[in-house]
Amino acid sequence: MLPKNKTYNLSLLIGLLLFTSQGAWSQSVIKPYQDHPFVQEHSIKYYIDSLTQPRSVAMDRNGNIQVLTHKGLYKPHAGQFLNPGQLVEDRSYLAMKDKKVKAMEVYQEQFVYLDDKAVFSNAWAGGIYFLHGSNAVAQFVPGKEFEFLIYQGNTISKLGRDGVLWQQELDGELIDIHYGKDKGLFYALMKEGLLSIRDEDGAINRLLSGKGFTAFAIKGNEVVLGSNNGYKRFDIGSGKVGAQTSQVPWPEITAVQWIHDRLWFGSNKGAFMLKEDGSYNYYFGERWLTGDRVIDMAEGKDGSVLVLTDAGLSQLVFASHTLEEKAAFFEDQVRKRHIRLGFNSSLSLKERGNVDSGQLKDSDNDGLWTAMYLASQAFRYAVNGDTEALQNCQESLEAMERLYLINPVEGFPSRSYNRSGYKEQLADPERWQSSADPEWDWKATTSSDEAIGHVFVLGVIAELVEDSAMRDKAIGLLDALMSHIVQHDMYLIDYDGKPTLWGKWNPEYVNNFPKMVGDRKLNSSNIIAMLQTAYHFTQKEIFKDKAYELMENYGYLDNLMVPMETIGKAEEGGDDWAAMLSEAWNHSDDEMYFLGYWGLYRYAFTEELKSKYAEAISDHWKSETAEKDGLWNIITAIASPGNFGQEDAVWYLQEYPMDLINWTMTNSHRKDLQFLAPNFREQSTSQVLAPDELMIRRHNANRFTLDGGNKGMAESSAGDIWLLPYWMGRYLGVISEAKK
């Protein structure tokens, strides 16, 4: 058992043992994903006061952005990624203050304006100033050779240097006008149809009749017509009308634009972009947009997309990154904002979305989340020998060691610890206990997911980190924890002398569950993995003997081999505890399984057992493939290097947002999703959504939960969510180093 003031010195023993750590698995079987740059989007947001009404947005050739409001011209101020700015009055041109600007367009990449007197611009040396002579004009659209179509209601006029050239009255309610330079025609969308207007003389031709149109875009011969029920396509040349497309994220279309050769839609519930495969990238919620209702969209010359809502402007930036560069960004995020006393912690925000208002929070699972981050740094160190990664390991391992030292129970890991005097302000104050040092309190009732997290990372450090002091410490802690469990009859015993609620691996508890209840399989799988890991690094026969006793005398091997397809609800009339634990699929259990699989497979006692474990791991992974969880897929590579969902793992890493603020995200309203009937696994849709369209969640959450979040009042750490699967993937050869 580990004394409170020292660790074992087992460096020589480790050297003898590590040659067996790889077993039959080989990195050479895996063809690494080549880490080339990919497009990663993020949003820069600029909010506007609620009394100001935005109308349109544009960017000129110089990269200047202007927003037209009912109060005049505004511009972005002080915004950057994760630090929103504001839209403020644009005072660049003093004389503009007296202009009653009604509309704004970009022509030849320059701003052009319409006021109650003229169409004019500050570009071209101010030489564009075309009087229109009508106080009623409200909108305009550029045509060819500095000519403009101006309109109010259904009255349209063509304006040039010599004044009004012709005027027409349209029959019906005018929605919008665009110029088609390919044919030299203006196209007018009416609420009940589409018209063409000849540039030379204003001759009108009805191209299409319909109802309920709200917005449109034109590119060559193709017109895309938005409505309150999705959109349809119309080919001007052939006159062919496409079918109505209503299965879009939200069908009430407010804007349609071709932006950077992609078709974009604005709606009353966010913006979405049509992808090549016919699905959509959906931008909704404050991760992406300042408000729900999209008023206007525009192309940014820097490759960005400008989305104007009723609450301000969002600039969607599409930048090129490699996964390695994304990892560097997240490494910085963790170190700057998410390290509490060495723990990997979440940041609670006092102001919505403001990371500078954050307070580091304790957690029931400080040990687990830290174990996962610590493992990421151990893998990082094993990949490239990074001295910063080694220091990160040292600091977090010290925090985990203190979980054992701060309480009076030998070999028992606390959930967390904090300075005393703040108990009422911490999560679950009733679980906190005073330590021998009056400066500190510690948290009791440690769970089984903490235990498996500890064993996972202690094994990773013992195997991979070439630092004898750290190895000794890791092995000593591993020995202490597992000695505690074995000596207490396979229970985790708290300060009160009683087992914790979840720290139970005793056969009387485990085998009391029917075989279809997941806890029987889970606890069997976890404890065998824990005992194997302890034996591998300590060579203490008690751990090996206990594992074989559980497998041979109590059926734990059979338990862990139970196929996942048989796991379900307990039969009626059985134990209430079993019924409660089997109401639905438990995704925290998935996390415990897969972290345990590292030691279950890698440190198997025999090749025969390793083969069986590989079968169990692959069986579990196949039941998880729909979730496309990057960590589950990459861990599966140790047992099934030829089939582990490599493409989905990379997709997960690429699609996870760089903004880890817990914004509230909703998707249950979407019309483009195929919803499933209620089921045991709580899989809501046929296909999982991209992580950047969902709320931020750790690996222990259901990735098919469509709605949720915390209104931007917290930021999660990338340490366990992203850095662990990435660096494990690098170590296992799933992902290559960056290709420049």
Side-chain angles (χ1 to χ4, degrees), residues 621 625 628-637 644-646 648-649:
W621 170 72
T625 54
K628 299 184 179 181
D629 186 286
L631 182 56
W632 305 164
N633 289 18
I634 289 170
I635 289 177
T636 301
F644 61 93
Q646 182 180 32
D648 287 343

Side-chain angles (χ1 to χ4, degrees), residues 293-571:
R293 185 175 187 273
V294 175
I295 294 172
D296 191 23
M297 299 181 297
E299 182 172 290
K301 66 178 296 292
D302 52 3
S304 67
V305 176
L306 307 177
V307 182
L308 187 67
T309 75
D310 48 2
L313 173 67
S314 296
Q315 184 175 13
L316 302 180
V317 178
F318 296 81
S320 179
H321 300 282
T322 61
L323 289 175
E324 190 172 298
E325 289 169 336
K326 190 171 180 178
F329 172 84
F330 279 144
E331 296 283 0
D332 189 60
Q333 184 246 22
V334 174
R335 300 312 301 181
K336 283 184 175 178
R337 297 197 292 276
H338 293 279
I339 299 299
R340 183 188 73 85
L341 301 172
F343 291 125
N344 173 45
S345 300
S346 294
L347 195 66
S348 175
L349 307 182
K350 296 298 182 183
E351 300 175 14
R352 183 170 55 88
N354 181 2
V355 295
D356 293 328
S357 71
Q359 173 185 329
L360 289 164
K361 298 294 290 183
D362 70 282
S363 165
D364 259 11
N365 297 116
D366 273 342
L368 174 60
W369 307 142
T370 303
M372 296 173 76
Y373 167 64
L374 176 53
S376 80
Q377 299 307 289
F379 287 121
R380 176 184 171 192
Y381 178 71
V383 167
N384 54 29
D386 193 312
T387 56
E388 182 184 78
L390 181 62
Q391 185 174 351
N392 296 343
C393 287
Q394 291 168 335
E395 291 178 7
S396 289
L397 183 58
E398 186 173 359
M400 294 196 68
E401 179 188 36
R402 198 169 183 217
L403 290 171
Y404 294 81
L405 302 179
I406 202 168
N407 72 68
V409 184
E410 199 75 26
F412 181 86
S414 311
R415 282 187 180 273
S416 183
Y417 56 79
N418 210 337
R419 296 190 185 277
S420 59
Y422 299 91
K423 193 176 296 184
E424 290 72 20
Q425 302 176 33
L426 301 174
D428 305 314
E430 71 281 357
R431 296 186 181 185
W432 287 85
Q433 308 296 320
S434 298
S435 75
D437 184 342
E439 177 70 12
W440 295 94
D441 293 331
W442 63 279
K443 196 171 190 179
T445 70
T446 303
S447 177
S448 53
D449 51 0
E450 294 286 288
I452 192 62
H454 282 239
V455 172
F456 162 67
V457 73
L458 295 174
V460 168
I461 291 172
E463 179 182 344
L464 302 182
V465 178
E466 296 178 355
D467 180 282
S468 59
M470 288 188 64
R471 284 177 168 173
D472 291 349
K473 185 178 294 187
I475 294 171
L477 294 174
L478 179 62
D479 188 11
L481 172 60
M482 295 311 299
S483 293
H484 171 104
I485 292 172
V486 171
Q487 290 169 10
H488 290 95
D489 200 19
M490 309 313 293
Y491 289 108
L492 196 60
I493 302 298
D494 214 335
Y495 71 99
D496 58 3
K498 299 177 182 179
T500 65
L501 181 62
W502 301 107
K504 301 172 182 177
W505 302 273
N506 182 280
E508 185 176 343
Y509 174 81
V510 172
N511 287 336
N512 186 55
F513 293 113
K515 286 194 173 182
M516 81 281 292
V517 176
D519 285 61
R520 178 167 177 158
K521 175 180 172 71
L522 170 65
N523 287 26
S524 298
S525 178
N526 272 188
I527 195 60
I528 298 303
M530 293 159 69
L531 290 166
Q532 284 187 162
T533 304
Y535 173 75
H536 185 83
F537 291 106
T538 69
Q539 291 292 284
K540 288 188 174 182
E541 292 295 328
I542 183 62
F543 299 132
K544 186 175 185 179
D545 292 345
K546 181 56 68 173
Y548 272 107
E549 177 188 340
L550 294 174
M551 287 191 288
E552 294 176 351
N553 298 345
Y554 295 99
Y556 276 34
L557 180 59
D558 292 336
N559 289 346
L560 70 85
M561 292 299 296
V562 168
M564 275 294 170
E565 65 180 11
T566 68
I567 301 299
K569 293 185 178 183
E571 296 177 353

